[in-house]
């Protein structure tokens, strides 16, 4: 039962995200974890509570009606970002419980004229959510984060750490680093983050921690706050928006 619920929850999360379009709703400031996570949590809870089809539809409709989570917290590194997953799960559990006791939710919560898709994204392709349904399972494509930071930073960190490892580089021998990435990643390119949450969305900081400490773990990120050596390395890093990445 637990495996079935988890597989179904992952399927709901990933397919809703694909349909709404992750990039598009990030542009409007919505956190996918909060938006899709609440509906997925309702699915997991509903499956474990043995809700029937109508009840599960209602649970998803209720959760979708109260889903959310905004990225504005990343502008100053405040802690709502850490609360989004828990808030989403709480919303999903409560939605499934309400559906179990007879509350109803809109069946068209995703695609409706006043539903999730149009509410959180400027453009979307809902048909993408149905490609391979019942044949391809999203849970088979999951990964575990290697670095203690936002997923969008991992590519840059991996590239720099690979070059460092192959060439035995030390921070002192680096003249400059240029990273080509998206505007979403660049927008959090603050000179020097002052909070742990702020460090986890700052690519120059994360790369500097990796170069200096050899690992971008939670302890390394936290312990490097206000380290003058980190600031020195960050000054060598330039973030450039790459049009080809922007298109995808």
């Amino acid at each position: 039962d637990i495996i079935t619920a988890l597989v179904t929850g992952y399927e709901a999360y990933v397919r809703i995200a694909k349909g709404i379009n992750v990039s598009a709703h990030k542009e409007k400031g919505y956190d996918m974890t909060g938006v899709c996570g609440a509906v997925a949590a309702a699915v997991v809870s509903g499956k474990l509570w043995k809700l029937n089809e109508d009840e599960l539809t209602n649970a998803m409709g209720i959760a979708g009606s109260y889903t959310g989570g905004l990225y504005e917290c990343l502008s100053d590194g405040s802690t709502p970002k850490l609360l989004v997953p828990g808030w989403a799960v709480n919303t999903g559990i409560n939605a499934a419980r309400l559906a179990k006791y007879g509350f109803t939710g809109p069946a068209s919560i995703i695609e409706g004229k006043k539903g999730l898709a149009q509410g959180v994204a400027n453009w979307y392709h809902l048909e993408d959510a149905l490609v391979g349904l019942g044949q391809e399972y999203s849970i088979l494509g999951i990964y575990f984060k290697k670095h203690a930071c936002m997923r969008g930073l991992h590519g840059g960190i991996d590239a720099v750490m690979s070059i460092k490892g192959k060439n035995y580089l030390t921070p002192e021998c680096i003249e400059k680093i240029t990273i080509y990435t998206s505007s979403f990643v660049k927008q959090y390119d603050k000179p020097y983050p002052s909070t742990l949450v702020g460090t986890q969305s700052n690519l120059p900081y994360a790369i500097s921690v990796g170069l200096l400490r050899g690992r971008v773990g939670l302890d390394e990120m936290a312990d490097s706050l206000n380290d003058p050596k980190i600031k020195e390395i960050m000054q060598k890093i330039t973030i450039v928006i790459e049009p080809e990445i922007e298109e995808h």
Side-chain angles (χ1 to χ4, degrees), residues 159-172:
V160 171
M161 295 299 285
S162 175
I163 295 171
K164 169 184 165 67
K166 292 177 180 177
N167 298 278
Y168 304 102
L169 290 181
T170 62
E172 291 74 24

Side-chain angles (χ1 to χ4, degrees), residues 21-104:
N21 189 294
V22 177
S23 297
H25 79 248
K26 281 182 177 178
E27 289 175 3
K28 294 198 72 171
Y30 283 96
D31 189 331
M32 180 177 67
T33 302
V35 173
C36 304
V39 182
V43 171
V44 174
S45 303
K47 293 294 288 184
L48 291 174
W49 275 327
K50 307 294 185 184
L51 300 189
N52 61 35
E53 183 176 339
D54 289 339
E55 292 169 333
L56 196 55
T57 300
N58 286 325
M60 295 175 70
I62 294 169
S65 298
Y66 294 96
T67 190
L70 297 171
Y71 273 121
E72 184 57 29
C73 54
L74 296 183
S75 67
D76 61 4
S78 51
T79 52
K81 176 60 180 171
L82 304 180
L83 301 174
V84 167
W87 214 286
V89 170
N90 183 63
T91 297
I93 292 173
N94 285 333
R97 183 181 288 117
L98 288 167
K100 180 181 179 182
Y101 288 107
F103 283 79
T104 59

Side-chain angles (χ1 to χ4, degrees), residues 29 47 61 81 83 101 126 130 172 189 192 202 244:
K47 293 294 288 184
K81 176 60 180 171
L83 301 174
Y101 288 107
L126 292 179
L130 303 178
E172 291 74 24
D189 175 21
Y192 306 112
N202 189 296
E244 187 175 348

Side-chain angles (χ1 to χ4, degrees), residues 148-203:
C149 59
M150 188 172 71
R151 179 65 184 92
L153 311 188
H154 286 222
I157 297 170
D158 287 340
V160 171
M161 295 299 285
S162 175
I163 295 171
K164 169 184 165 67
K166 292 177 180 177
N167 298 278
Y168 304 102
L169 290 181
T170 62
E172 291 74 24
C173 34
I174 295 173
E175 182 177 326
K176 68 177 181 178
I177 297 173
T178 304
I179 303 289
Y180 296 89
T181 184
S182 67
S183 57
F184 178 77
V185 171
K186 182 173 173 54
Q187 68 181 318
Y188 303 116
D189 175 21
K190 300 295 175 67
Y192 306 112
S194 58
T195 68
L196 178 58
V197 174
T199 69
Q200 293 177 302
S201 58
N202 189 296
L203 184 53

